[in-house]
Amino acid sequence: MATNIGPMAYFQEQLQKGVFMIQRSRSTGKFTFYPRAVEPGTGSDELEWTRASGKGRVYASTTLYPRRKPPYNISIVELAEGPRLMTRVIDVAPEDVQIGMEVYARIERDLKEGQQGAPVLVFSVQPEARGVQS
Amino acid sequence: MNRLRGKTAVVGAAYAGVGSSPGWTSMELAAQATKKALDDAGLRLADIDGLCAATFYHFFPTLTVGEYLGIQPRWSNSDTVGGSSFLSHIAQAELAIDAGLCETVLIVYGSTARSSRDLNGLIETPETEKLYDPMVPVSGYALAASRYFHQYGATREDLARVALSARQWAALNPDAELRDPLSLQELLDAPLIASPFSKYDCCLVSDGAAALIVTRADRAKSLRKPPVYVLGNAAAHWHREIAQMPDLTVTAASVTGPAAMSAAGVTHGDIDVMQLYDAFTLNPILFLEDLGFCQKGEGAAFIAEGHIQPGGRLPVNTNGGGLCFAHPGAYGLFALIEGVMQLRGEAGQRQVEAPDIALIHGNGGTLSHQATTILGTGNCLD
């Protein structure tokens, strides 16, 4: 899937269309996230885009307690494909997010105040959200 | 042992404006610390021909400092890797001095993190992570703590013991910001900021500046204070953002500790006093393990045995650390200065008994950059 834009722009463009894409190295078979121009560690530029499974597990999690807003979650999710990413786990009270929980990718468009419409990759504890809309 | 062991020495060390300094700029505080460090060494500004600096507010820190002080360094370096930048600077200065690129290096830092309420300065968060509103840097360390709790069954009480030890040391340091005693229960009852951390698990946000002067060992001998020799250095980094850290419970200190000790020709039992960069209470636990003073997962138990607190056999963060002494945005230079003061016997009530070897461990980013420096008295060179 050759593109004429950089990997980060391509990723965002796909996310905007409702698709969560991830890179895989043709030479090592390993997945890479965040999107990069070369594979970290090997420097291989044979990275191809593939649709992410959308499945993952919570690797680390914290609940933040801002002064004037309700508490919210920040987690690191380990994707079924291997790489980890920073995200937010939704559809559960922030304090109830547990390490090891299975979570499912979802594209949220109004997560951040003042940036409505921008697609953000979050993870739900609800399996029915598994199929990221395509 | 490395070829450079003991070839350079710290000859001047000072801090200024530590705590709250409203109405002052970071450069003004840095210049004050420089003046005090020069006086400490018995040197003049004109003696400085090498310069290292890193601040949160200046894109070209060595250019800004050099101009402000009106010096024309022959060599400079502004490796900027967070709070541990200054340990990197010592290592770079050692090489530059050995190579003859310069003779006497000023390492300087200044911050108005408290008065300006500008905690992060020029530090950027990736666009892909900003979307989630992480509280930088506390959320990164909180994530690491969550993983550590999960894997090793640690608790908030384990973190609280780190804060308690820091308080006990700070009570002995008239320059420390937080000196009032706190009970374990008060620590545990504090509301959370980023689970599992309350405010007591987070370092201070202070104003302040620090300066260190390093020169050739043969020149150091004729200066005002007994030289504190640079015995060994090592630095490593494995990631920038916490989500990319290979294992949230293991830092690159596991590489820099053994490397620095090997370079210095010392073993764990030789270390008389340690400064372990405590941006958060989790850090000293991780660093005790990664530096090899106990096994992985046993840092909390080691601390609970009382080893690191006043009277313990391995005194850690003897000035009260970033948790209770001060933390002006970056703390590495202050950790180095406390190591120097201890080795010179200048630490007053908190003085450790006749130490010869100090290990200073710096941390930058979110457990990202790790750097270990081993300093020693003249007794180490016999």
Side-chain angles (χ1 to χ4, degrees), chain B residues 350-365:
Chain B
R350 66 184 189 280
Q351 180 64 49
V352 171
E353 198 185 334
D356 277 319
I357 298 176
L359 183 154
I360 296 93
H361 184 76
N363 166 75

Side-chain angles (χ1 to χ4, degrees), chain A residues 101-122:
Chain A
M101 267 182 170
E102 284 190 27
V103 288
Y104 307 90
R106 190 181 280 180
I107 295 167
E108 188 79 50
R109 290 181 189 273
D110 50 5
L111 188 72
K112 191 160 173 164
E113 250 173 81
Q115 289 194 14
Q116 276 77 5
V120 182
L121 190 62
V122 296

Side-chain angles (χ1 to χ4, degrees), chain B residues 87-237:
Chain B
L87 286 87
S88 173
H89 294 165
I90 280 219
Q92 312 292 339
E94 185 185 38
L95 293 170
I97 290 167
D98 181 66
L101 302 178
C102 57
E103 187 172 88
T104 303
V105 178
L106 167 68
I107 303 172
V108 63
Y109 175 74
S111 173
T112 53
R114 177 177 297 173
S115 295
S116 68
R117 298 176 180 274
D118 185 359
L119 191 58
N120 286 318
L122 300 173
I123 299 170
E124 83 288 4
T125 299
E127 294 297 327
T128 48
E129 298 198 355
K130 263 189 212 164
L131 300 163
Y132 306 105
D133 273 334
M135 288 183 201
V136 177
V138 60
S139 50
Y141 288 89
L143 286 164
S146 80
R147 190 69 203 175
Y148 187 85
F149 279 28
H150 175 76
Q151 283 185 222
Y152 297 106
T155 64
R156 289 196 62 228
E157 189 168 325
D158 294 325
L159 299 180
R161 289 190 194 286
V162 177
L164 272 182
S165 176
R167 283 275 171 156
Q168 290 168 10
W169 282 113
L172 304 174
N173 180 3
D175 288 349
E177 287 190 48
L178 299 179
R179 305 186 64 206
D180 298 336
L182 265 182
S183 70
L184 189 61
Q185 199 55 47
E186 282 173 290
L187 290 165
L188 294 175
D189 289 346
L192 296 176
I193 292 175
S195 61
F197 294 153
S198 78
K199 69 172 180 181
Y200 295 121
D201 294 297
C202 306
C203 63
L204 289 154
V205 177
S206 317
D207 298 330
L212 207 65
I213 298 169
V214 180
T215 193
R216 273 201 338 260
D218 59 338
R219 177 137 205 252
K221 286 188 186 119
S222 61
L223 297 177
R224 189 166 284 162
K225 294 278 178 75
V228 169
Y229 295 94
V230 180
L231 302 182
N233 292 295
H237 53 96

Side-chain angles (χ1 to χ4, degrees), chain B residues 204-276:
Chain B
L204 289 154
V205 177
S206 317
D207 298 330
L212 207 65
I213 298 169
V214 180
T215 193
R216 273 201 338 260
D218 59 338
R219 177 137 205 252
K221 286 188 186 119
S222 61
L223 297 177
R224 189 166 284 162
K225 294 278 178 75
V228 169
Y229 295 94
V230 180
L231 302 182
N233 292 295
H237 53 96
W238 293 347
H239 66 280
R240 161 76 202 262
E241 301 300 335
I242 195 75
Q244 300 288 321
M245 186 170 177
D247 176 341
L248 264 62
T249 66
V250 182
T251 74
S254 54
V255 168
T256 66
M261 279 192 254
S262 164
V266 301
T267 60
H268 292 89
D270 297 325
I271 307 295
D272 297 314
V273 59
M274 290 213 286
Q275 312 302 324
L276 305 178

Side-chain angles (χ1 to χ4, degrees), chain A residues 4 12 15 19 27 34 52-54 60 62 64 66 71 74-75 79 81 91 99-100 104 109 113 122-123 129-130 133:
Chain A
N4 59 2
Q12 300 288 5
L15 210 59
V19 184
S27 48
Y34 48 90
S53 71
T62 180
L64 304 185
I74 295 276
S75 288
L79 301 173
E81 289 86 350
D91 298 331
I99 290 175
Y104 307 90
R109 290 181 189 273
E113 250 173 81
V122 296
F123 283 78
R130 176 180 307 187
Q133 137 204 19

